[in-house]
Amino acid sequence: MKTAIFKFLIILTYSLALISPAANAQNIGEQTFHFKDESRNRPVVTEVWYPTTDVLVPKNEGSYPFIHVPSIRNASIPQKKYPLILISHGTGGGRITLEWLADKLVQNGFIVAATDHYGNTYDHKIAEDFVEPWKRPLDISFALTSLLKDTLFGSRIDTARIGAAGFSIGGYTVIALAGGRLDFNALLAYLNTPGGKKEATIPEFPNLLSKIDTNAVLASFKNSPPLKDSRIKAFFAICPAIGQGFTTKAQFLSINSPLYIVGAQSDSIAPVKTNAQHYHQLISNSKITIVPGKVGHYVFLNEAVEPVKKQQPFAFSDDPSVSRHNVHKQVGQLAVDFFKENLK
């Protein structure tokens, strides 16, 4: 009898080990690439997270500003093909400000690459780079080309399964990569209205419009190249901004890939009516989810550690009724499900 019970316990323990999440969990590798687009004399620093079977060694992360899944710097990557998701950060953000989304995607079998958009990051602000968003899709396309040429990652990326996700102006970025064509004159006209002036008043760059040469910006748009990247097959836009630069469905006729839009009901930076919902109404076959309640624009940034929350409450503190962690879980799963469905 004891022998039979002992054998049963061994079998049960073995079976639980097979189905245990811990047994199947993948660690996250991380590398930083300092690409440079010589044709534009523009740095394209790119952070890459990826699945690894290397063992994580706990370490003191010191002053790391965000709550995240610890990664293994320069870890090995298994010799197989993975789908790739490219990420575009929001205005005045940076390549690690959507790390929560990268973590979720890597844990579900994706490689993720997030790019710094030069002149539009938290630590490097140039007025023109805040109002010439057509430069951003070119950054993403250049990062993609560079990764595909890389001796290691080029052989690990499944080129038939490439997607893109972006937040705020990064949401516009992925819509442009999908084929959306911005009308700068329409956007400029809107920015001269009370509602437009309110949307253009951003905490990341106070008095932005007073610091730019409108004619120079308009000229840059007229000289901008095509932005659609046909290598990218699915697009996920979170709180996409500058929606009023789009007034007709004709501006989206080139979009022939799946596109999912997420908005926040209480977004005062990129209000749903003039942005997420507006895009959805103009883009045929797009799907949309509006996160309800007092969820604001910045809920889609990382969860910050307490000192950072105190330094920048506008970006890292939410209404007491809102759980940033739970919003990330919800939207992260939406992204995983969307990309798995559309990058087969």
Side-chain angles (χ1 to χ4, degrees):
M1 184 69 171
K2 288 183 179 179
T3 301
I5 293 174
F6 182 70
K7 287 182 177 179
F8 171 76
L9 290 173
I10 290 176
I11 293 170
L12 179 61
T13 302
Y14 178 71
S15 300
L16 289 173
L18 288 177
I19 64 174
S20 167
N24 293 319
Q26 292 185 108
N27 285 324
I28 298 176
E30 182 176 356
Q31 292 190 34
T32 306
F33 291 85
H34 294 270
F35 300 134
K36 185 174 183 181
D37 185 347
E38 297 292 349
S39 68
R40 297 186 294 151
N41 191 31
R42 186 173 169 91
V44 184
V45 181
T46 301
E47 204 74 10
V48 180
W49 297 269
Y50 51 93
T52 182
T53 56
D54 287 7
V55 176
L56 178 68
V57 178
K59 60 183 178 181
N60 183 356
E61 295 196 293
S63 58
Y64 199 76
F66 304 124
I67 297 169
H68 71 137
V69 178
S71 62
I72 305 169
R73 177 61 61 174
N74 300 321
S76 64
I77 179 172
Q79 193 166 351
K80 58 179 285 188
K81 296 281 189 179
Y82 294 91
L84 168 69
I85 307 301
L86 301 146
I87 289 183
S88 176
H89 65 76
T91 293
R95 65 187 187 276
I96 66 170
T97 51
L98 295 176
E99 191 172 359
W100 65 270
L101 180 57
D103 289 342
K104 181 70 172 179
L105 288 165
V106 174
Q107 289 171 329
N108 282 273
F110 294 85
I111 296 174
V112 178
T115 296
D116 271 351
H117 295 292
Y118 182 78
N120 191 215
T121 59
Y122 70 94
D123 58 348
H124 186 213
K125 300 178 181 181
I126 300 172
E128 288 75 12
D129 288 307
F130 270 66
V131 293
E132 293 178 348
W134 62 267
K135 295 176 179 178
R136 294 168 136 262
L138 297 178
D139 293 338
I140 297 295
S141 290
F142 184 82
L144 173 55
T145 297
S146 300
L147 283 172
L148 293 177
K149 290 180 179 178
D150 183 73
T151 54
L152 176 60
F153 283 93
S155 64
R156 303 298 196 272
I157 295 169
D158 184 342
T159 56
R161 295 191 294 161
I162 298 174
F167 163 66
S168 193
I169 199 71
Y172 152 78
T173 301
V174 301
I175 290 172
L177 286 163
R181 291 176 294 146
L182 179 71
D183 180 343
F184 179 72
N185 286 319
L187 179 61
L188 186 61
Y190 177 66
L191 292 177
N192 286 322
T193 68
K197 288 177 181 177
K198 184 178 180 180
E199 285 190 39
T201 304
I202 55 175
E204 294 89 350
F205 204 132
N207 302 314
L208 174 62
L209 295 183
S210 67
K211 299 180 185 298
I212 63 171
D213 181 340
T214 302
N215 290 328
V217 172
L218 180 57
S220 80
F221 271 88
K222 289 181 177 178
N223 294 323
S224 65
L227 302 175
K228 178 173 179 172
D229 193 326
S230 296
R231 298 173 296 179
I232 306 173
K233 308 300 184 183
F235 303 86
F236 194 86
I238 303 172
C239 294
I242 59 174
Q244 295 305 294
F246 298 87
T247 57
T248 70
K249 290 189 175 183
Q251 291 172 264
F252 300 103
L253 290 179
S254 293
I255 294 182
N256 51 18
S257 297
L259 193 151
Y260 202 112
I261 299 168
V262 174
Q265 183 175 334
S266 299
D267 191 338
S268 61
I269 300 297
V272 167
K273 183 178 179 180
T274 53
N275 292 282
Q277 193 68 48
H278 180 69
Y279 276 114
H280 175 56
Q281 290 169 347
L282 291 177
I283 302 174
S284 299
N285 301 317
S286 63
K287 296 182 179 181
I288 190 169
T289 291
I290 304 299
V291 183
K294 295 185 178 181
V295 176
H297 189 72
Y298 295 108
V299 74
F300 297 104
L301 297 179
N302 290 327
E303 294 181 80
V305 298
E306 284 302 320
V308 174
K309 288 176 69 173
K310 290 178 180 178
Q311 290 170 6
Q312 293 185 302
F314 79 89
F316 297 109
S317 295
D318 305 300
D319 184 89
S321 66
V322 175
S323 166
R324 184 171 295 208
H325 181 75
N326 288 341
V327 171
H328 289 180
K329 283 180 63 177
Q330 176 193 354
V331 175
Q333 192 60 52
L334 281 176
V336 167
D337 293 344
F338 171 74
F339 285 125
K340 282 189 173 181
E341 173 65 24
N342 293 287
L343 297 177
K344 293 180 178 178

